[in-house]
Amino acid sequence: MPSYTGPVDDLQFVIHDVLDVPAQNVPGYEDLERDFTAAILGEAAKISSEVLAPLNAYGDQTGVTLENGVVRTPKGFKEAFDQLRDGGWTGLDCDPEYGGQGMPYILSVATGEMFSAANQAFMMYPGLTHGAYSAIHAHGSDDQKSTYLPKMVTCEWTGTMNLTEPQCGTDLGLMRTKAEPQDDGSYLVTGQKIFISAGDHDMSDNVIHLVLAKIPGGPEGIKGVSLFIVPKFMVNEDGSVGERNAVSVGKVEEKMGIHANATCVMNYDGAKGFLLGEAHKGMRAMFTMMNEARLGVGMQGLSQAVAAYQNAVDYARDRLQGRDVTGAKNPDGPADPIIVHPDVRRMLMDQKSFIEGARAFGLWGGTMIDRARSAGDEEAEAMVSLLTPVLKGFLTDEGYDMTVQAQQVYGGHGYIEEWGMSQFTRDARITMIYEGANGVQALDLVGRKLGLKGGKTVMAFFELIKDFCKENAGKDAELDKAFLDPLKTASKQLQEAAMFFMQNGMKNPNHALAGSNDFMHLMGHVCLGYMWSRMAFAAASKLEAGDGDAAFYETKLATGRYYMSRRLPATAMHLQRILSGADDVMALDAANF
Amino acid sequence: MPSYTGPVDDLQFVIHDVLDVPAQNVPGYEDLERDFTAAILGEAAKISSEVLAPLNAYGDQTGVTLENGVVRTPKGFKEAFDQLRDGGWTGLDCDPEYGGQGMPYILSVATGEMFSAANQAFMMYPGLTHGAYSAIHAHGSDDQKSTYLPKMVTCEWTGTMNLTEPQCGTDLGLMRTKAEPQDDGSYLVTGQKIFISAGDHDMSDNVIHLVLAKIPGGPEGIKGVSLFIVPKFMVNEDGSVGERNAVSVGKVEEKMGIHANATCVMNYDGAKGFLLGEAHKGMRAMFTMMNEARLGVGMQGLSQAVAAYQNAVDYARDRLQGRDVTGAKNPDGPADPIIVHPDVRRMLMDQKSFIEGARAFGLWGGTMIDRARSAGDEEAEAMVSLLTPVLKGFLTDEGYDMTVQAQQVYGGHGYIEEWGMSQFTRDARITMIYEGANGVQALDLVGRKLGLKGGKTVMAFFELIKDFCKENAGKDAELDKAFLDPLKTASKQLQEAAMFFMQNGMKNPNHALAGSNDFMHLMGHVCLGYMWSRMAFAAASKLEAGDGDAAFYETKLATGRYYMSRRLPATAMHLQRILSGADDVMALDAANF
């Protein structure tokens, strides 16, 4: 059975030694001193390993069941949810006005990585609730806020997001669900929604569905979509839970993974709903929190890689098989632990160097969201908007690959469910799909985000890297060579790719779109290369100062060198593919595939 | 529910237009005229789509169950097996002396791709039997051959291969299973074997286990391992099935995929066994057929990619979502089919160009095995030994990735079991692990095969490509540029990598081993680049001659161009990683992961 340990030291390193969060001029950050974050992260790590992780494999094996219209979650889930609620974790970064802890978002990123690593399927119940909370908080009337938010902050009531229908996924303009206005100002919502995560369950007193639907007579397509609050149980005047609304679970899907989360077909049969925000502006309301939601999924992808990696390391240290070709490392035993073998090392280093780079990238993204949200910094808002598709797409594509690598370390045992490694792979697989499939992320990046503010944001990104390199060049010849040189090369390749899109995408947009996935990965590597460079200089300065755990900083530098020499070179391949344009991609008639 | 269509036209193209099999000087090949192979492949395609494929998802959902010591297979499996038996398919390339059809091995490669694509879990029952048949055929006494082979050719009796034990997988020297000699010349076998595919089931009258075990007093480690025939039921003098032997199923494993194949823990409790081949030479006997077995697994990896791809294409043509950015392709419909979108194209072209290249590679490997087996060609034997780890490792790594891509084409539906795409991914996953995990393949390639015949075999491989390029250069400037130039570049990169290993592996073998996985992939790309170049020239000459289906050949050329421009460039990345050596890979203490 796999285990999980929260990486508190590494989170602390990024938050304090790399990003120096308390010194950033963001409201709330001044409180995030080292001891304070250590206490919070330590407590979250404890819950993760002691409460959530032990339920993970069990939840996968048991799954959820639909009984008489109600979804039953695995035994122990409700008690774990109560512990999360009692500790105030569900409202960590929520508005104190509604009972939240009012902490900066970066703490949610850090604790969220741990919670999801311990039990992704479970964490989707509070996760979806948080999304619904955010939408109501941003767009709800005072009355809606006071009715729903206090209960959603505590997760006494949970939430869902209803977008997809059988005929419409990415293309929400094809939506058919209708919302007919009633005399009392409410709407009757009718239609079928699919893939509704946490759509129903037995762990809360109410489920508050946020539902996209079209008001008859409104604009065609995506411009006529509105957002509605549709509670499972109507809420009485006194705030208590009242009558059942006309919304029901049609089916619970059998999925490849996240078995313990209820992915529901939801049927709305004239269910009473309340307009959230303006009519026909539903997409805008639904996507207000898109950067956060997508960063959250990126962190899920990372989190499964972390959980899988930790167990792969344990296995590689314990499993005795073969001998170190340079001389036995365990001469008194029947064989050496497989961690001595170079190809096992390669797999573990791929994972470790991805994980630590991705963690820093995610936390950096978190600071930008805080900066945008609490300090009203528009440049930070633009920068995180640019990076969001990379955070989501790159971290989940790579995160998934790393779970596959971790499984591979186990050999045959990796394929047996009892050992638990298959679950990380199966659970991670969804992160590449939901919250906008990764192809849609790549399209968003190339089709929209590169042109953000007329290209100024992506230019600012390149400047950031350039400035960093300039600032640090010459401090240490070894770091120049191992980090700054390859970072500069990769960054130039990314610029060349962006230039190719500009020059060729005008006459034929397919020349840009055919390279979108490669661009997303190229940019992901540049971001991780940048993060690794920042971490390397931070570690080196700690070592120079003789401050802290030298082994930790040495390991950090060695892991970074691995990333720069072994992983970053993928950028040249991505560039070459991009520069080949669209012709070979689009050559075939659809009939000839 | 997914469907499957055997790619008969493409198999015919490779067998006839590319490899020109009937003209090769190999016994048996003279009969493989175009019409003859078309008839055989057509019949195999029919069984695949009509008999095997319809049971695939059902087998996945149902799985096998252990009831009172007997494994029950899903309903319909036995009837399907009977059809395979009745058609003579289980003995297609088996010795006519024992009831086989005596066909060349290449036909087994071609039909095997289709059978496995249709139902991998099912095909493992006859597949393992074929492996056991081959070992007995090569090493058995006349008496053993006449006792077992006729029943195994027809699969009235099936077979298994028993290598792994809880403490020993790759490192078989750690084996504990004992075989104690008895006065009658038999042995009593005692021990536990795990991961025994097709270990038991209800579709045959007997199961003939081939078991590796140690005769007490023999040499230590791997040199003291012998191979034994241990039948589930003893065979009477008259050839009928007799008493039950002391071998039993301890457990059936729950796995990520291939649910319909019984992966058993087998307990041998003083089971009667018969030495197969010489004492202490069990490894040699077990691995006689290694090239075939590993090529077979490579083809399984490919086969899952094919099945997944075919369904992804269908879905991409049917699913309406969004508009072609260059102008609506389905203006009267609510949206365009997603196959218009460049990133969907990219995914499908990745799959298609891998599949067709890999298919040619596998069939080429098959001709070398025939040449070695039937014409006693030692160079062909050496060449296929060199290529075997690439055929196994590269085709399964990439094949798996392609199933993941195909799943991605489905968006959210790809994650729902009902749609069947998850199964291809889950089933394909095992091919990277069993029959020697892919890391072990890479080790075999770099540690052993590069040095085969003092390096002459790998030099012959490079010569082959060089000669091909020389022979075809200048025929067609467009083909030179699109195919020969990138092939030459990639081949040079592979040579540079081999040279690096030679120069650095001597002082520290880790410099070679740390690059072994990248070398395997680099070489895989060179092999597919070579195959694509051969296919391109074959297609071009057909087009020039105005011979056959022009659209087929045009599509072939376009698909090849895609491979060369978009996939082959991975070689430079692999080379760069290889040249970075072992230092960054081996830098960390085991404690610091």
Side-chain angles (χ1 to χ4, degrees), chain B residues 199-220:
Chain B
D200 193 65
H201 59 91
D202 53 3
M203 300 190 289
S204 70
D205 299 331
N206 203 356
V207 182
I208 310 304
H209 301 289
L210 296 196
V211 184
L212 285 178
K214 302 184 84 165
I215 302 170
E220 285 291 300

mmCIF file of all heavy atoms in Angstrom, chain B residues 199-220:
data_model
loop_
_atom_site.group_PDB
_atom_site.id
_atom_site.type_symbol
_atom_site.label_atom_id
_atom_site.label_comp_id
_atom_site.label_asym_id
_atom_site.label_seq_id
_atom_site.Cartn_x
_atom_site.Cartn_y
_atom_site.Cartn_z
ATOM 1 N N GLY B 199 -2.086 -18.630 -16.499
ATOM 2 C CA GLY B 199 -1.650 -19.673 -15.568
ATOM 3 C C GLY B 199 -2.655 -20.785 -15.397
ATOM 4 O O GLY B 199 -2.292 -21.946 -15.195
ATOM 5 N N ASP B 200 -3.908 -20.448 -15.476
ATOM 6 C CA ASP B 200 -4.951 -21.460 -15.411
ATOM 7 C C ASP B 200 -6.208 -20.867 -16.035
ATOM 8 O O ASP B 200 -6.364 -19.634 -16.088
ATOM 9 C CB ASP B 200 -5.241 -21.869 -13.963
ATOM 10 C CG ASP B 200 -6.084 -23.133 -13.902
ATOM 11 O OD1 ASP B 200 -5.593 -24.180 -14.319
ATOM 12 O OD2 ASP B 200 -7.253 -23.037 -13.462
ATOM 13 N N HIS B 201 -7.074 -21.743 -16.501
ATOM 14 C CA HIS B 201 -8.329 -21.284 -17.118
ATOM 15 C C HIS B 201 -9.181 -22.490 -17.485
ATOM 16 O O HIS B 201 -8.750 -23.641 -17.267
ATOM 17 C CB HIS B 201 -8.019 -20.427 -18.353
ATOM 18 C CG HIS B 201 -7.224 -21.161 -19.383
ATOM 19 N ND1 HIS B 201 -7.800 -21.860 -20.396
ATOM 20 C CD2 HIS B 201 -5.880 -21.341 -19.520
ATOM 21 C CE1 HIS B 201 -6.859 -22.433 -21.133
ATOM 22 N NE2 HIS B 201 -5.682 -22.131 -20.612
ATOM 23 N N ASP B 202 -10.338 -22.201 -18.028
ATOM 24 C CA ASP B 202 -11.296 -23.282 -18.295
ATOM 25 C C ASP B 202 -11.507 -23.536 -19.788
ATOM 26 O O ASP B 202 -12.556 -23.991 -20.208
ATOM 27 C CB ASP B 202 -12.637 -22.940 -17.629
ATOM 28 C CG ASP B 202 -13.130 -21.552 -18.035
ATOM 29 O OD1 ASP B 202 -12.477 -20.890 -18.871
ATOM 30 O OD2 ASP B 202 -14.168 -21.114 -17.503
ATOM 31 N N MET B 203 -10.489 -23.202 -20.597
ATOM 32 C CA MET B 203 -10.670 -23.320 -22.050
ATOM 33 C C MET B 203 -9.870 -24.455 -22.670
ATOM 34 O O MET B 203 -9.894 -24.617 -23.886
ATOM 35 C CB MET B 203 -10.280 -21.995 -22.721
ATOM 36 C CG MET B 203 -11.116 -20.804 -22.260
ATOM 37 S SD MET B 203 -10.823 -19.329 -23.265
ATOM 38 C CE MET B 203 -9.169 -18.890 -22.751
ATOM 39 N N SER B 204 -9.119 -25.194 -21.866
ATOM 40 C CA SER B 204 -8.347 -26.303 -22.430
ATOM 41 C C SER B 204 -8.377 -27.481 -21.457
ATOM 42 O O SER B 204 -8.706 -27.314 -20.284
ATOM 43 C CB SER B 204 -6.904 -25.876 -22.701
ATOM 44 O OG SER B 204 -6.218 -25.679 -21.485
ATOM 45 N N ASP B 205 -7.975 -28.647 -21.972
ATOM 46 C CA ASP B 205 -8.044 -29.862 -21.155
ATOM 47 C C ASP B 205 -6.853 -30.024 -20.231
ATOM 48 O O ASP B 205 -6.884 -30.804 -19.290
ATOM 49 C CB ASP B 205 -8.115 -31.092 -22.076
ATOM 50 C CG ASP B 205 -9.349 -31.053 -22.962
ATOM 51 O OD1 ASP B 205 -10.362 -30.460 -22.536
ATOM 52 O OD2 ASP B 205 -9.291 -31.597 -24.088
ATOM 53 N N ASN B 206 -5.784 -29.291 -20.542
ATOM 54 C CA ASN B 206 -4.598 -29.413 -19.701
ATOM 55 C C ASN B 206 -3.784 -28.128 -19.855
ATOM 56 O O ASN B 206 -3.931 -27.407 -20.836
ATOM 57 C CB ASN B 206 -3.753 -30.624 -20.134
ATOM 58 C CG ASN B 206 -2.853 -31.137 -19.003
ATOM 59 O OD1 ASN B 206 -2.805 -30.548 -17.920
ATOM 60 N ND2 ASN B 206 -2.162 -32.243 -19.258
ATOM 61 N N VAL B 207 -2.970 -27.848 -18.845
ATOM 62 C CA VAL B 207 -2.054 -26.714 -18.932
ATOM 63 C C VAL B 207 -0.640 -27.247 -18.713
ATOM 64 O O VAL B 207 -0.361 -27.888 -17.694
ATOM 65 C CB VAL B 207 -2.381 -25.625 -17.885
ATOM 66 C CG1 VAL B 207 -1.430 -24.449 -18.038
ATOM 67 C CG2 VAL B 207 -3.828 -25.158 -18.026
ATOM 68 N N ILE B 208 0.217 -26.999 -19.691
ATOM 69 C CA ILE B 208 1.596 -27.482 -19.609
ATOM 70 C C ILE B 208 2.479 -26.323 -19.155
ATOM 71 O O ILE B 208 2.759 -25.398 -19.914
ATOM 72 C CB ILE B 208 2.067 -28.008 -20.984
ATOM 73 C CG1 ILE B 208 1.036 -28.982 -21.570
ATOM 74 C CG2 ILE B 208 3.448 -28.646 -20.870
ATOM 75 C CD1 ILE B 208 0.685 -30.166 -20.671
ATOM 76 N N HIS B 209 2.891 -26.383 -17.888
ATOM 77 C CA HIS B 209 3.710 -25.301 -17.334
ATOM 78 C C HIS B 209 5.189 -25.561 -17.614
ATOM 79 O O HIS B 209 5.680 -26.659 -17.342
ATOM 80 C CB HIS B 209 3.510 -25.221 -15.820
ATOM 81 C CG HIS B 209 2.093 -24.972 -15.409
ATOM 82 N ND1 HIS B 209 1.465 -23.770 -15.591
ATOM 83 C CD2 HIS B 209 1.171 -25.788 -14.833
ATOM 84 C CE1 HIS B 209 0.215 -23.838 -15.137
ATOM 85 N NE2 HIS B 209 0.009 -25.062 -14.677
ATOM 86 N N LEU B 210 5.866 -24.581 -18.131
ATOM 87 C CA LEU B 210 7.332 -24.655 -18.201
ATOM 88 C C LEU B 210 7.861 -23.836 -17.023
ATOM 89 O O LEU B 210 7.538 -22.657 -16.893
ATOM 90 C CB LEU B 210 7.848 -24.093 -19.522
ATOM 91 C CG LEU B 210 7.435 -24.857 -20.781
ATOM 92 C CD1 LEU B 210 8.320 -24.455 -21.965
ATOM 93 C CD2 LEU B 210 7.497 -26.366 -20.582
ATOM 94 N N VAL B 211 8.639 -24.504 -16.187
ATOM 95 C CA VAL B 211 9.015 -23.906 -14.896
ATOM 96 C C VAL B 211 10.528 -23.881 -14.729
ATOM 97 O O VAL B 211 11.190 -24.923 -14.874
ATOM 98 C CB VAL B 211 8.388 -24.726 -13.734
ATOM 99 C CG1 VAL B 211 8.692 -24.061 -12.397
ATOM 100 C CG2 VAL B 211 6.886 -24.887 -13.927
ATOM 101 N N LEU B 212 11.049 -22.713 -14.437
ATOM 102 C CA LEU B 212 12.471 -22.619 -14.095
ATOM 103 C C LEU B 212 12.645 -22.954 -12.615
ATOM 104 O O LEU B 212 11.907 -22.442 -11.765
ATOM 105 C CB LEU B 212 13.003 -21.209 -14.353
ATOM 106 C CG LEU B 212 13.253 -20.812 -15.809
ATOM 107 C CD1 LEU B 212 13.730 -19.352 -15.865
ATOM 108 C CD2 LEU B 212 14.268 -21.720 -16.491
ATOM 109 N N ALA B 213 13.617 -23.811 -12.313
ATOM 110 C CA ALA B 213 13.862 -24.190 -10.917
ATOM 111 C C ALA B 213 15.304 -24.642 -10.780
ATOM 112 O O ALA B 213 15.999 -24.856 -11.779
ATOM 113 C CB ALA B 213 12.908 -25.315 -10.513
ATOM 114 N N LYS B 214 15.736 -24.763 -9.529
ATOM 115 C CA LYS B 214 17.129 -25.149 -9.285
ATOM 116 C C LYS B 214 17.198 -26.572 -8.736
ATOM 117 O O LYS B 214 16.467 -26.920 -7.802
ATOM 118 C CB LYS B 214 17.776 -24.164 -8.309
ATOM 119 C CG LYS B 214 17.732 -22.731 -8.834
ATOM 120 C CD LYS B 214 18.463 -21.745 -7.935
ATOM 121 C CE LYS B 214 19.931 -21.775 -8.275
ATOM 122 N NZ LYS B 214 20.640 -20.605 -7.702
ATOM 123 N N ILE B 215 18.086 -27.343 -9.324
ATOM 124 C CA ILE B 215 18.332 -28.687 -8.818
ATOM 125 C C ILE B 215 19.341 -28.560 -7.675
ATOM 126 O O ILE B 215 20.417 -27.975 -7.885
ATOM 127 C CB ILE B 215 18.890 -29.595 -9.934
ATOM 128 C CG1 ILE B 215 17.908 -29.643 -11.107
ATOM 129 C CG2 ILE B 215 19.168 -30.997 -9.395
ATOM 130 C CD1 ILE B 215 18.481 -30.310 -12.360
ATOM 131 N N PRO B 216 18.984 -29.006 -6.491
ATOM 132 C CA PRO B 216 19.900 -28.838 -5.353
ATOM 133 C C PRO B 216 21.282 -29.410 -5.686
ATOM 134 O O PRO B 216 21.394 -30.443 -6.341
ATOM 135 C CB PRO B 216 19.229 -29.643 -4.229
ATOM 136 C CG PRO B 216 17.772 -29.641 -4.588
ATOM 137 C CD PRO B 216 17.730 -29.672 -6.087
ATOM 138 N N GLY B 217 22.302 -28.672 -5.240
ATOM 139 C CA GLY B 217 23.668 -29.125 -5.493
ATOM 140 C C GLY B 217 24.244 -28.588 -6.792
ATOM 141 O O GLY B 217 25.426 -28.770 -7.069
ATOM 142 N N GLY B 218 23.421 -27.935 -7.574
ATOM 143 C CA GLY B 218 23.907 -27.373 -8.843
ATOM 144 C C GLY B 218 24.657 -26.071 -8.617
ATOM 145 O O GLY B 218 24.793 -25.608 -7.475
ATOM 146 N N PRO B 219 25.158 -25.487 -9.693
ATOM 147 C CA PRO B 219 25.888 -24.215 -9.568
ATOM 148 C C PRO B 219 25.027 -23.126 -8.925
ATOM 149 O O PRO B 219 23.802 -23.148 -9.031
ATOM 150 C CB PRO B 219 26.217 -23.857 -11.018
ATOM 151 C CG PRO B 219 26.089 -25.134 -11.793
ATOM 152 C CD PRO B 219 25.068 -25.947 -11.077
ATOM 153 N N GLU B 220 25.705 -22.174 -8.300
ATOM 154 C CA GLU B 220 25.037 -21.017 -7.686
ATOM 155 C C GLU B 220 24.421 -20.108 -8.750
ATOM 156 O O GLU B 220 24.905 -20.073 -9.886
ATOM 157 C CB GLU B 220 26.070 -20.171 -6.932
ATOM 158 C CG GLU B 220 26.554 -20.751 -5.612
ATOM 159 C CD GLU B 220 25.463 -20.754 -4.560
ATOM 160 O OE1 GLU B 220 24.968 -19.649 -4.228
ATOM 161 O OE2 GLU B 220 25.091 -21.848 -4.080
#
